[in-house]
Amino acid sequence: NKEQVWEKVEEEIIELKSAISNWQSATDNDLTMQHRKVEEEFGDVIFSLINYARFLRIDAENALEVTNKKFIRRFTQMEKEATQSGKDLADMTLVEMDSIWNSIKKRT
């Protein structure tokens, strides 16, 4: 059922976090193997989310496309607003960019 599938998503996220932690603390000899494990666990999270989307009757590919377009639209607007205020995104702090991003997000 839907709840069991969501529990699997949460389990996979925990496994991904563990793999990331292991990768970040790995020795040079172990980095490549640990990175592969992170990639594998990341894939498991995506797979589990796609499976959950089926239970919600959501087209996961379409949802991702909508999100990508929304991101591009917001990022383009963020660049425009930064330029209008006489700034370049490359020179802005993360806090400054977040402020613009959150403002755009509230409007769209």
Side-chain angles (χ1 to χ4, degrees), residues 16-28:
L16 173 61
K17 287 179 177 181
S18 176
I20 291 169
S21 178
N22 291 340
W23 174 48
Q24 290 174 332
S25 63
T27 62
D28 288 344

Side-chain angles (χ1 to χ4, degrees), residues 3 6 11 13 16 19 21 30 35 37 45 52 54-55 58 66 73 76 89 91 100-101 103 107-108:
E3 289 76 22
W6 183 252
E11 176 187 319
I13 290 171
L16 173 61
S21 178
D30 206 26
H35 186 262
K37 184 68 175 164
V45 170
Y52 189 67
R54 286 184 324 109
F55 282 86
I58 292 173
V66 167
R73 192 172 54 251
T76 301
L89 284 182
D91 299 327
I100 295 171
W101 182 267
S103 174
R107 295 191 310 253
T108 59

